[in-house]
């Protein structure tokens, strides 16, 4: 028997055949994780298929089977093949995403000193290492203290330093030794020791007086009496805490045959923290529109009527129209038919609300998967999904790869959201993948949004995807009125505050009524750039050449709203692209002047201004900086939902489908952010964000309103958002795309090359562009055009210069399919071209 594998090396394309050892022949099947030799390395691989004869002579043999149960189901293997083909990613990279974090391990190199560290003189070996002697010194010192170390462990000590060339030179000189290794999986099932009564209670009671000496008798009796009362095995730590006994006492009781000591597997369940009060299940009456939409979806769940085109739905409903209740009832019908449901949400921020609602409807049947969970929590949830112990899995993009055995429903809530797109290799769009996965599983797919993308809506109208409309809110209330404030007029009238008079007055009234407000500012930080007023120098990131953003802890503005009062120890400048951080300088690095000033708005400064103008208001900030810790999203959202704060200041996380009935005011501090970027999708994203944020107001009988501040009140994206007119925006944007030939009327492929040398980056981009032009002419691809090569909008990132080429036409992926594009980042149908 032979097996065809995808090896777990992301950059490797293609599949490889291996012989199956006789002792593993009865266990190996498609989807299994194995260990195989690959060149001079030992690597992991996923079995794609079994066959009787290999494509090559004398294939190497599989070394080991890591798990007898398949990691990937047949539909998942088919999805991996489809994604690799449609996105031009290596199959191994796609398969690698589907293996749980911690279980997936890639080949590495282990380094250690090859000579006696006491006799080693780094200075004496400078001639051997040349100009890399500083790196060599650090490397040898590190290995002297912690040898041996794997390459990825050394990476954490050498940020942005290419230490591997130096290491290879030291290996050649005999100073270091190196060997290829495959680290063991980092995760495994968790076991804890437990105790349980092993005899009848009467037998245990009869032995009470013979359990030991005067010093130990009381402890052992207490332990035995406690275990008599326990119907199930109980953790030893709990026995110790309740009775005061120790391990020796329990071992004595075990030797007498009275109790059993053994290990029980413990599932690390992130949902066990949810309190029982959060599982309240309220019966909700559906509106006529909801009833119709649900009937269409449930009829598609009937096995006899399955048709992929008739089983894919775009649930197009305004904010607050009750889309989540339809997901819940569709999942209920799916479970009744013996199948499982996958519920995708775009952001971790949305999972707490979604999980509460699903957990209340399906207690004990819901699993949660997202990147902020520990590896153990994700691994245990993944195993429970594979074993069929979960009926619903909720999570962000990666939850799509939960190995549920019989998927019947896939929901992508807020399907327009850009978070569904993976912006690092391997590039793919989870909504597109969800639709294909539903087809492969024979499942119903529901895409829900108040603002579907132009592309999604156009495809739905032209590819027989059923559009189910929910035009009204379930509360029978109107969408909140939106007042556009022209900030240019505010400045003319002498108001230099970041809040217009209308917003400040409305905020005061909302707080006074005991209601809640949301202030949206789609920028983090306190000031968006820092510059010298003397020479005009802007402080930029040395790695990305983008302006640094000011972040201030415990920031308190002066009484004058246009000025700052900052303590030097609290000032940090940060790059939001690569993470570079430095303190704010006291003098200009260009001219030496002390006239360093900050300009622009960010969520931190908005929060501080609220505290200054409304000191009685309880304020929370919800952005990337405040949610880096585990469970931070849930903590902030729970505090606000429980009315432990009056004002919530945040960035784009606030536009993610939150349901907060006490919110009656939404203030959009600066609606212009993102407009006029050189990207064909920029206006659409601004419209979606503003419409979604506005939809957070007035979701109860209290009503609500939205105040939108802008310096461009005439812009059509803002005007349509203010009118909640998604149809009008769609028609206007569709005409714009048709005129320019952008999606959905053509397809795009974006190619990006990065290099530390700007000239080399440009040279490589010009070389590939010339090659593509020749191929376009030779194959007669008259409708395919190239944009570029040009520097990317963010021309430098993390120390590397970026050049890009955009191929534009009916099928640009066909132009690239047979090319070797080593070191190029290839995106098929990207969501932005910046």
């Amino acid at each position: 028997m032979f097996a065809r594998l995808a090896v777990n090396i992301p950059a490797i394309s293609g599949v490889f055949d291996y012989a199956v050892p006789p002792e593993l022949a009865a266990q190996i099947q498609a989807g299994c994780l194995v260990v195989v030799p690959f060149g001079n390395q030992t690597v992991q691989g996923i079995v794609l298929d079994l066959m009787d004869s290999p494509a090559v002579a004398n294939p190497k043999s599989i070394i080991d089977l890591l798990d007898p149960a398949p990691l990937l189901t047949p539909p998942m293997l088919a999805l991996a093949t489809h994604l690799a083909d449609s996105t031009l990613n290596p199959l191994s990279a796609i398969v690698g995403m589907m293996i749980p974090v911690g279980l997936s391990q890639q080949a590495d190199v282990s380094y250690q000193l090859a000579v006696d560290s006491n006799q080693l003189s780094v200075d004496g070996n400078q001639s051997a290492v040349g100009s890399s002697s500083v790196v060599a010194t650090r490397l040898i010192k590190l290995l002297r203290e912690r040898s041996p170390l794997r390459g990825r462990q050394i990476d954490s000590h050498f940020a942005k330093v290419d230490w591997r060339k130096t290491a290879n030179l030291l290996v050649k000189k005999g100073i270091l030794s190196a060997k290829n290794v495959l680290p063991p999986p980092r995760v495994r099932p968790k076991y804890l020791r437990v105790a349980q009564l092993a005899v009848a209670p009467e037998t245990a009671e009869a032995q009470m007086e013979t359990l030991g000496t005067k010093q130990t008798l009381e402890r052992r009796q207490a332990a035995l009496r406690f275990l008599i009362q326990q119907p199930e095995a109980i953790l030893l730590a709990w026995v110790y805490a309740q009775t005061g006994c120790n391990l020796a006492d329990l071992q004595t009781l075990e030797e007498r045959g009275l109790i059993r000591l053994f290990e029980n597997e413990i599932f690390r369940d992130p949902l066990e923290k949810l309190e029982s009060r959060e599982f309240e299940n309220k019966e909700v009456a559906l509106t006529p529109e909801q009833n119709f939409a649900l009937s269409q979806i449930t009829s598609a769940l009937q096995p006899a009527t399955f048709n992929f085109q008739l089983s894919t739905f775009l649930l197009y409903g305004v904010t607050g129209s009750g889309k989540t209740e339809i997901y819940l009832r569709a999942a209920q019908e799916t479970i009744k038919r013996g199948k499982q449901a996958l519920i995708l949400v775009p952001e971790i921020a949305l999972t707490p609300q979604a999980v509460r609602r699903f957990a209340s409807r399906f207690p004990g049947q819901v699993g949660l998967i997202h990147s902020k969970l520990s590896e153990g929590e994700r691994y245990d949830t993944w195993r429970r999904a594979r074993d069929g112990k979960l009926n619903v899995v909720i999570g962000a993009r990666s939850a799509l790869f939960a190995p549920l055995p019989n998927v019947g429903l896939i929901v992508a809530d807020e399907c327009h959201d850009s978070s569904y797109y993976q912006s690092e290799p391997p590039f793919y769009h989870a909504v597109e993948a969800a639709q294909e996965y539903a087809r492969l599983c024979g499942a119903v797919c529901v895409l829900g949004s108040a603002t579907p993308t132009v592309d999604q809506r156009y495809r739905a109208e032209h590819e027989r995807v059923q559009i189910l409309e929910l035009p009204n809110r379930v509360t029978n209330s109107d969408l909140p009125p939106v007042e556009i404030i022209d900030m240019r007029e505010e400045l003319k009238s002498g108001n230099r505050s970041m809040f217009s008079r209308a917003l400040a007055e409305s905020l005061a009234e909302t707080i006074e009524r005991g209601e809640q407000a949301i202030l949206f500012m789609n920028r983090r930080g306190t000031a968006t750039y820092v510059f010298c007023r003397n020479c005009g120098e802007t402080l930029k990131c040395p790695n990305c050449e983008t302006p640094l953003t000011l972040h201030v802890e415990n920031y308190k503005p002066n009484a004058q709203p246009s000025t700052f009062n900052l303590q030097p120890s609290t000032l940090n400048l940060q790059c939001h692209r690569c993470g570079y951080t430095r303190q704010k300088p006291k003098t200009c690095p260009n001219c030496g002047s002390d006239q360093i000033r900050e300009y622009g708005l960010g969520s931190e400064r908005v929060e501080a201004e609220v505290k200054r103008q409304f000191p009685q208001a309880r304020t929370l900030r919800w952005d990337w900086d405040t949610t880096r810790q585990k469970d931070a999203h849930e903590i902030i959202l729970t505090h606000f939902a429980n009315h432990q704060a009056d004002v919530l200041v945040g960035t784009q996380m606030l536009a993610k489908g939150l349901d907060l009935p006490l919110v009656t005011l939404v203030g959009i501090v600066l609606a212009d952010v993102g407009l006029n970027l050189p990207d064909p999708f920029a206006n659409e994203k601004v419209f979606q964000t503003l419409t979604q944020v506005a939809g957070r107001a007035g979701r109860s009988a209290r009503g609500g309103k939205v105040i939108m501040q802008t310096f461009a009140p005439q812009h059509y994206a803002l005007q349509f958002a203010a009118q909640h007119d998604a149809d009008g925006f769609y028609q206007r944007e569709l005409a714009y795309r048709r005129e320019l030939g952008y999606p959905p009327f053509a397809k795009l492929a974006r190619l990006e090359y990065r290099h530390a040398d700007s000239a080399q980056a440009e040279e490589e981009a010009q070389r590939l562009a010339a090659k593509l032009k020749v191929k376009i002419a030779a194959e007669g691809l008259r409708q395919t055009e190239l944009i570029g090569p040009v520097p990317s909008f963010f021309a430098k990132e993390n120390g590397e210069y970026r050049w890009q080429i955009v191929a534009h036409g009916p099928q640009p992926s066909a132009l690239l399919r047979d090319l070797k594009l080593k070191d190029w980042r290839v995106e098929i149908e990207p969501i932005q071209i910046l």
Side-chain angles (χ1 to χ4, degrees):
M1 184 188 292
F2 300 89
R4 183 155 290 162
L5 270 64
V7 294
N8 193 12
I9 306 176
I12 297 294
S13 300
V15 295
F16 303 89
D17 292 352
Y18 286 85
V20 179
E23 63 272 18
L24 297 178
Q27 302 176 62
I28 284 185
Q29 52 186 307
C32 280
L33 182 66
V34 296
V35 177
V36 295
F38 190 81
N40 61 353
Q41 305 176 81
T42 302
V43 302
Q44 290 180 341
I46 286 285
V47 177
L48 302 174
D49 197 10
L50 296 174
M51 52 206 171
D52 295 327
S53 58
V56 294
N58 302 317
K60 294 179 179 180
S61 182
I62 291 173
I63 296 173
D64 194 13
L65 173 65
L66 290 178
D67 190 336
L71 267 67
L72 276 58
T73 63
M76 291 174 72
L77 290 171
L79 176 64
T81 302
H82 168 82
L83 287 177
D85 181 67
S86 61
T87 64
L88 303 186
N89 282 302
L91 178 59
S92 56
I94 299 293
V95 167
M97 288 194 305
M98 297 181 173
I99 304 173
V101 175
L103 195 60
S104 171
Q105 291 294 318
Q106 294 171 5
D108 208 339
V109 179
S110 177
Y111 295 91
Q112 65 181 27
L113 293 174
V115 296
D116 187 344
S117 63
N118 293 320
Q119 299 176 1
L120 182 63
S121 167
V122 176
D123 294 334
N125 286 284
Q126 282 194 10
S127 59
V129 297
S131 61
S132 301
S133 59
V134 175
V135 177
T137 302
R138 286 180 58 193
L139 188 57
I140 291 170
K141 182 176 183 292
L142 176 65
L143 291 173
R144 179 185 286 129
E145 295 170 354
R146 300 185 56 187
S147 179
L149 287 175
R150 297 192 304 273
R152 292 186 186 88
Q153 293 172 314
I154 298 174
D155 282 338
S156 64
H157 296 270
F158 285 84
K160 300 176 185 175
V161 174
D162 185 6
W163 57 268
R164 282 179 169 79
K165 290 180 181 178
T166 302
N168 291 336
L169 189 55
L170 293 174
V171 169
K172 290 178 182 178
K173 297 296 181 181
I175 298 172
L176 300 184
S177 65
K179 66 175 181 178
N180 292 302
V181 294
L182 178 64
R186 294 192 304 271
V187 292
R188 56 181 61 87
K190 183 177 182 179
Y191 291 90
L192 292 177
R193 295 197 74 186
V194 295
Q196 188 174 30
L197 193 68
V199 296
E202 299 80 11
T203 305
E205 288 288 354
Q207 297 285 325
M208 282 294 178
E209 301 304 321
T210 64
L211 296 180
T213 64
K214 186 179 293 186
Q215 291 84 358
T216 61
L217 181 61
E218 187 176 340
R219 295 198 310 267
R220 293 173 184 175
Q221 286 177 338
L224 191 56
R225 287 196 176 100
F226 179 69
L227 291 173
I228 287 172
Q229 298 168 6
Q230 307 304 316
E232 305 284 342
I234 191 163
L235 293 176
L236 295 196
W238 191 243
V239 180
Y240 300 153
Q242 290 292 313
T243 68
C245 72
N246 55 38
L247 180 59
D249 293 325
L250 295 179
Q251 288 173 335
T252 299
L253 296 178
E254 184 184 36
E255 289 169 6
R256 289 172 177 252
L258 298 174
I259 68 170
R260 293 172 57 226
L261 298 178
F262 57 99
E263 289 190 335
N264 251 3
E265 183 178 351
I266 304 297
F267 279 104
R268 292 155 285 195
D269 184 2
L271 300 185
E272 68 182 1
K273 301 172 189 173
L274 289 179
E275 300 174 15
S276 57
R277 65 180 175 80
E278 295 176 290
F279 287 89
E280 297 172 5
N281 188 8
K282 298 177 181 177
E283 194 65 34
V284 178
L286 299 185
T287 65
E289 294 93 345
Q290 284 178 302
N291 268 316
F292 176 77
L294 182 62
S295 68
Q296 295 297 303
I297 294 169
T298 52
S299 70
L301 288 166
Q302 304 287 346
T305 61
F306 183 79
N307 176 300
F308 175 64
Q309 286 185 317
L310 300 179
S311 299
T312 303
F313 300 91
L314 175 61
L315 189 58
Y316 175 33
V318 299
T319 56
S321 59
K323 294 185 286 292
T324 304
E325 184 62 29
I326 293 176
Y327 305 153
L328 285 160
R329 300 205 184 191
Q332 196 167 5
E333 290 298 320
T334 303
I335 294 168
K336 281 181 183 177
R337 290 167 170 77
K339 296 188 175 186
Q340 299 93 38
L342 267 172
I343 312 296
L344 304 182
V345 292
E347 285 268 6
I348 298 168
L350 270 184
T351 54
Q353 279 201 340
V355 165
R356 285 192 189 95
R357 295 194 63 177
F358 276 88
S360 68
R361 201 69 59 95
F362 311 108
Q365 304 174 62
V366 178
L368 175 63
I369 295 178
H370 61 67
S371 60
K372 287 289 179 73
L373 300 178
S374 70
E375 288 185 353
E377 287 172 327
R378 279 193 274 178
Y379 177 59
D380 283 358
T381 302
W382 176 87
R383 284 194 303 135
R384 292 170 69 200
R386 181 178 69 170
D387 296 342
K389 295 178 179 177
L390 297 175
N391 284 324
V392 179
V393 170
I394 302 173
R397 197 171 53 228
S398 59
L400 181 64
F401 305 128
L404 293 168
N406 193 5
V407 178
L409 172 70
I410 300 177
V411 171
D413 189 28
E414 309 292 352
C415 63
H416 66 276
D417 199 283
S418 60
S419 301
Y420 280 121
Y421 185 77
Q422 178 151 304
S423 56
E424 288 295 323
F427 302 102
Y428 77 102
H429 201 298
V431 173
E432 301 294 323
Q435 293 178 76
E436 178 62 20
Y437 191 36
R439 185 187 69 80
L440 293 167
C441 294
V444 171
C445 184
V446 180
L447 312 179
S449 178
T451 54
T453 66
V454 170
D455 200 37
Q456 288 168 344
R457 185 167 169 182
Y458 185 84
R459 288 189 191 183
E461 291 174 349
H462 292 80
E463 296 178 11
R464 294 181 62 196
V465 172
Q466 297 190 69
I467 300 178
L468 304 173
E469 295 195 30
L470 300 175
N472 302 306
R473 285 187 157 182
V474 292
T475 57
N476 292 320
S477 60
D478 294 330
L479 289 164
V482 180
E483 181 182 358
I484 295 180
I485 303 295
D486 188 342
M487 295 302 285
R488 297 171 301 181
E489 296 301 320
E490 290 287 316
L491 286 172
K492 288 178 185 177
S493 65
N495 180 17
R496 301 183 64 82
S497 168
M498 69 177 68
F499 298 148
S500 62
R501 291 183 175 86
L503 180 55
E505 290 168 5
S506 297
L507 200 52
E509 292 168 2
T510 301
I511 295 168
E512 188 177 344
R513 290 195 303 266
E515 296 169 349
Q516 292 178 301
I518 284 176
L519 295 180
F520 174 74
M521 179 67 212
N522 205 13
R523 284 184 186 143
R524 293 156 49 207
T526 300
T528 46
Y529 70 93
V530 179
F531 69 104
C532 173
R533 290 181 64 178
N534 189 53
C535 71
E537 176 80 1
T538 299
L539 299 180
K540 295 183 177 180
C541 171
N543 303 319
C544 306
E545 295 185 355
T546 53
L548 293 167
T549 300
L550 179 70
H551 286 259
V552 184
E553 295 181 10
N554 304 317
Y555 161 54
K556 296 180 181 179
N558 275 327
Q560 295 300 318
S562 61
T563 61
F564 292 87
N565 176 20
L566 308 173
Q567 298 300 317
S569 60
T570 65
L571 299 175
N572 282 314
L573 301 179
Q574 205 176 94
C575 174
H576 288 173
R577 298 194 67 80
C578 75
Y580 169 83
T581 303
R582 62 161 293 177
Q583 287 191 336
K584 178 190 169 188
K586 295 180 180 179
T587 58
C588 173
N590 183 50
C591 72
S593 166
D594 61 358
Q595 297 298 303
I596 304 294
R597 294 293 182 268
E598 305 82 22
Y599 187 79
L601 293 177
S603 54
E604 287 179 15
R605 189 176 170 201
V606 173
E607 178 193 27
E609 188 67 11
V610 173
K611 291 179 177 178
R612 186 189 73 83
Q613 291 196 30
F614 307 98
Q616 77 282 14
R618 299 165 298 170
T619 307
L620 283 174
R621 179 162 54 89
W622 195 13
D623 56 21
W624 186 87
D625 299 294
T626 61
T627 56
R628 282 180 283 183
Q629 300 300 318
K630 184 181 177 183
D631 297 330
H633 289 285
E634 185 170 0
I635 291 168
I636 293 172
L637 181 57
T638 301
H639 273 64
F640 194 64
N642 292 339
H643 204 179
Q644 292 175 276
D646 305 304
V647 181
L648 180 61
V649 177
T651 55
Q652 59 187 359
M653 294 176 184
L654 295 175
K656 308 290 184 179
L658 301 170
D659 188 7
L660 300 164
L662 272 177
V663 172
T664 58
L665 173 66
V666 168
I668 299 170
V669 179
L670 186 61
D672 310 8
V673 177
L675 289 177
N676 304 316
L677 286 171
D679 180 72
F681 311 108
N683 293 338
E684 177 181 59
K685 288 172 184 168
V686 171
F687 168 79
Q688 289 168 338
T689 300
L690 297 180
T691 303
Q692 291 286 339
V693 171
R696 300 316 109 208
R699 294 171 76 99
S700 70
R702 295 170 180 265
K705 65 177 179 180
V706 180
I707 294 178
M708 184 188 295
Q709 301 183 159
T710 175
F711 287 91
Q714 74 288 347
H715 197 285
Y716 72 91
L718 274 57
Q719 289 290 334
F720 283 122
Q723 298 160 24
H724 303 284
D725 187 2
D727 293 336
F729 177 82
Y730 171 69
Q731 296 299 336
R732 172 74 180 264
E733 190 72 5
L734 199 64
Y736 164 73
R737 303 270 185 96
R738 183 183 284 110
E739 182 181 345
L740 296 180
Y742 280 120
F745 302 104
K747 294 183 178 180
L748 303 179
R750 179 175 178 271
L751 298 95
E752 181 188 317
Y753 187 79
R754 300 183 178 190
H755 201 277
D757 185 321
S758 60
Q760 189 164 334
E762 180 180 1
E763 182 182 342
E764 172 61 21
Q766 297 288 358
R767 183 198 66 80
L768 180 61
K771 186 175 181 179
L772 291 175
K773 288 174 183 176
V774 169
K775 189 175 183 186
I776 289 171
E779 297 181 6
L781 303 174
R782 296 178 182 175
Q783 292 180 288
T784 300
E785 300 175 351
L786 298 184
I787 303 172
V790 293
S792 301
F793 180 73
F794 298 105
K796 189 180 181 186
E797 183 175 323
N798 211 9
E800 294 182 312
Y801 293 90
R802 306 166 70 220
W803 277 71
Q804 70 178 33
I805 304 168
V806 176
H808 168 285
Q811 204 59 255
S813 59
L815 174 69
L816 309 173
R817 191 170 298 280
D818 301 324
L819 296 177
K820 291 184 178 180
L821 297 169
K822 185 182 178 183
D823 298 328
W824 279 86
R825 299 158 66 100
V826 180
E827 295 180 74
I828 304 301
E829 298 190 49
I831 62 168
Q832 54 90 10
I833 57 173
L834 297 176

